[in-house]
Amino acid sequence: MALYLGIDGGGTGCRAAIADRAGRILARAEAGPANIASDPKGARDTIIGIVQGLLAGLGATEAAAVGLGLAGANAAGADLALQGALPARHVRIETDALTATLGALGDRDGIAAVIGTGAVFGRQQAGRFCQIGGHGLVLGDCASGAWLGRRALTQAVRADDGLVPMTPWLRDLLARFGGAAGIIGFAYAASPADFARLAPEVIAAADPDIMAEAEAEIMTAIATLQAGAALPVTFIGGLGEIYHNRLSGRLNTARPIGSALDGALRLAISTDRDAGPVRA
Amino acid sequence: MALYLGIDGGGTGCRAAIADRAGRILARAEAGPANIASDPKGARDTIIGIVQGLLAGLGATEAAAVGLGLAGANAAGADLALQGALPARHVRIETDALTATLGALGDRDGIAAVIGTGAVFGRQQAGRFCQIGGHGLVLGDCASGAWLGRRALTQAVRADDGLVPMTPWLRDLLARFGGAAGIIGFAYAASPADFARLAPEVIAAADPDIMAEAEAEIMTAIATLQAGAALPVTFIGGLGEIYHNRLSGRLNTARPIGSALDGALRLAISTDRDAGPVRA
């Protein structure tokens, strides 16, 4: 039986499934972070381990195709460590934006706003895919969980300096980190996932400066992708539900029909049929 | 003879001098980057090597005091690797902001805007010192060389996405890095010094968005430190002359009387006399 693996690898965790040619899922697995740009070796080891484990569980040694949607796959050279390292006849490595969009929209035209640890926006229109954002936390990812966490810590040290007003929430944040020095020390070593762990409290605190900046960025990205066409917007990712609720009054939204993992399986099966998605 | 060492360690390079009790410089040395928060081990090794080399050059094995002004010294725990590791009776580790301010202002009241790879602002008033900024590139350092370089790359990938207008300079920058994927890959691994190497071309390109953001941040920091008093502002650091020229029409400026290394020697000698600077 031909086996197809889909892998959805993000900055915080990695989800995988193995299916038959009809897309029926036979087994699932989960593992740690898999950003192939920020941690190429760690991501490679995680992904090879998960693929071998899923195949071995079904008594197989090779897949017909593996479809991977990975955070960081849009960085030059990021996929080099992985190409040729997987036991499959076909391997297609794409951004998590592409697989998330495929999974969320299926065959429909629309925009997927994929907002979890990172933030990226995909558009599917007449069978063609394009994405914007997903630049990583160093250059952007505005509105993402990592960005919200880092932005809160920046706001706290700026309030400590008197550059912006101090609030009870920022004072509490400073106290928990051991003051500005503690925050500065944390930030030197923190990963995007470390910053993203603060996102729930940032959203709960609802600092108007921070949330307005995040929402303005999302609206700009969507307007750029719509380019005048009123494509429906589907929010997904760990913060998808939150932004859906905050922004659905200003946008034509649609609910996702499947997950990024469904999109990765779709990518694997279509790649084996030589009918994978085309980038615009 | 009692020997005093001053060390000025920044994100791009480290300068050191050894002097007698009157402050007469007997020898100088230079070495690589010394940010004790972003690279504690590298900075420690660099600093120990430079101290031992300067002492050995004078046939000595111990200094009376070492005064260090180091980038990253405002991060919690950053100085732990260095305390006790230097052959001196007294060691005082301070931020590069403090030593740069001491060197630039001597005994005068005023504000030092220290803008090189990083950006930090020090105020000396009635014998007391305070600083704002210097949070590191992850959380801030707006207007610094590293910030300018990173901001330019962000602008380039955003222009590539259609989020901001494309300009000939940004198109050229994208081409030199191998497109957005090349920039994203570079940014995942780049140090502040790597980003800062782009600063001269960012200033030459004078993108109005970027320069306005940098200058607004500098003016806000200075206004916060002045708190109504019209203290003179001294621009120092690798970009000090550039910002002095751009902003002197809007500020009461003064020229520096000495370098950050002079400030570090002053710190060493005053610490041995138990008369070092006091933080507000």
Side-chain angles (χ1 to χ4, degrees):
Chain A
M1 177 171 64
L3 294 171
Y4 298 85
L5 272 106
I7 296 184
D8 167 39
T12 300
C14 184
R15 292 148 294 276
I18 189 164
D20 64 15
R21 193 173 178 81
R24 274 183 297 260
I25 291 176
L26 308 170
R28 293 173 182 273
E30 294 203 3
N35 183 316
I36 55 171
S38 64
D39 180 17
K41 190 182 171 325
R44 178 180 186 275
D45 292 349
T46 297
I47 290 164
I48 291 175
I50 215 166
V51 168
Q52 288 175 337
L54 281 171
L55 286 170
L58 297 175
T61 55
E62 194 189 49
V66 181
L68 303 102
L70 303 179
N74 56 334
D79 58 352
L80 293 181
L82 210 50
Q83 285 288 10
L86 295 176
R89 289 203 309 278
H90 301 284
V91 173
R92 182 154 169 188
I93 301 172
E94 278 292 349
T95 59
D96 51 345
L98 185 143
T99 48
T101 303
L102 275 182
L105 304 184
D107 291 323
R108 299 179 319 197
D109 284 359
I111 290 166
V114 190
I115 311 182
T117 304
V120 63
F121 302 83
R123 180 184 69 201
Q124 180 167 266
Q125 195 171 24
R128 290 184 170 266
F129 172 83
C130 76
Q131 76 175 72
I132 65 177
H135 302 143
L137 183 61
V138 171
L139 293 178
D141 276 9
C142 181
S144 71
W147 182 90
L148 287 171
R150 186 185 61 185
R151 184 69 182 73
L153 296 179
T154 295
Q155 193 83 342
V157 295
R158 290 177 71 81
D160 189 60
D161 274 352
L163 293 166
V164 296
M166 183 63 80
T167 68
W169 169 56
L170 294 173
R171 188 175 290 115
D172 177 63
L173 196 56
L174 279 158
R176 277 184 285 134
F177 275 83
I183 288 178
I184 292 167
F186 172 82
Y188 270 108
S191 68
D194 293 333
F195 285 116
R197 273 189 282 278
L198 289 167
E201 80 162 89
V202 182
I203 288 160
D207 180 296
D209 282 0
I210 297 176
M211 295 313 292
E213 202 174 327
E215 290 171 17
E217 174 75 5
I218 293 171
M219 295 301 286
T220 299
I222 290 170
T224 302
L225 280 176
Q226 286 187 324
L231 294 166
V233 178
T234 301
F235 285 94
I236 50 178
L239 299 179
E241 187 66 21
I242 284 159
Y243 284 118
H244 173 93
N245 292 336
R246 293 183 69 101
L247 295 171
S248 57
R250 298 158 66 186
L251 292 165
N252 171 25
T253 57
R255 288 299 187 172
I257 64 166
S259 68
L261 183 54
D262 296 326
L265 276 175
R266 206 178 160 92
L267 178 67
I269 295 168
S270 64
T271 295
D272 191 38
R273 289 175 185 154
D274 212 6
V278 177
R279 281 187 175 261
Chain B
M1 178 171 63
L3 294 170
Y4 298 84
L5 272 106
I7 297 184
D8 168 39
T12 300
C14 185
R15 292 146 295 275
I18 189 163
D20 65 15
R21 194 175 177 80
R24 276 183 296 261
I25 292 176
L26 308 170
R28 292 173 182 274
E30 294 204 5
N35 184 315
I36 55 172
S38 64
D39 180 18
K41 192 184 169 323
R44 178 180 186 276
D45 293 348
T46 297
I47 290 163
I48 291 174
I50 215 167
V51 168
Q52 288 175 337
L54 281 171
L55 287 170
L58 297 175
T61 55
E62 195 189 49
V66 181
L68 303 102
L70 303 179
N74 57 335
D79 57 354
L80 292 180
L82 210 51
Q83 284 287 11
L86 296 176
R89 289 204 310 276
H90 301 284
V91 173
R92 183 155 169 189
I93 301 172
E94 278 291 349
T95 59
D96 51 345
L98 185 142
T99 49
T101 303
L102 275 183
L105 305 184
D107 291 323
R108 299 178 319 197
D109 285 359
I111 290 167
V114 190
I115 312 181
T117 305
V120 63
F121 301 84
R123 182 183 68 202
Q124 181 167 265
Q125 195 171 25
R128 290 185 169 265
F129 173 84
C130 77
Q131 75 175 74
I132 65 179
H135 302 143
L137 183 61
V138 172
L139 294 178
D141 277 7
C142 182
S144 71
W147 183 90
L148 287 172
R150 186 185 61 185
R151 185 69 182 76
L153 297 179
T154 295
Q155 193 82 341
V157 295
R158 289 176 73 80
D160 188 62
D161 275 352
L163 293 165
V164 296
M166 182 64 79
T167 67
W169 168 57
L170 293 173
R171 188 174 290 116
D172 177 62
L173 196 57
L174 279 158
R176 278 184 284 134
F177 275 83
I183 288 178
I184 292 167
F186 172 82
Y188 270 108
S191 68
D194 293 333
F195 285 116
R197 273 188 281 279
L198 289 167
E201 79 162 273
V202 182
I203 288 159
D207 180 296
D209 281 1
I210 297 177
M211 295 314 293
E213 202 174 327
E215 290 171 16
E217 175 74 6
I218 293 170
M219 295 300 286
T220 299
I222 290 170
T224 303
L225 281 176
Q226 285 188 324
L231 294 167
V233 179
T234 301
F235 285 94
I236 50 178
L239 299 179
E241 187 67 21
I242 285 159
Y243 283 118
H244 174 92
N245 292 337
R246 293 183 68 101
L247 296 171
S248 56
R250 298 158 66 187
L251 291 165
N252 171 24
T253 57
R255 288 299 187 171
I257 63 167
S259 68
L261 184 53
D262 296 327
L265 276 175
R266 206 178 160 92
L267 178 68
I269 295 168
S270 65
T271 295
D272 191 38
R273 289 175 185 155
D274 213 5
V278 177
R279 283 187 174 262

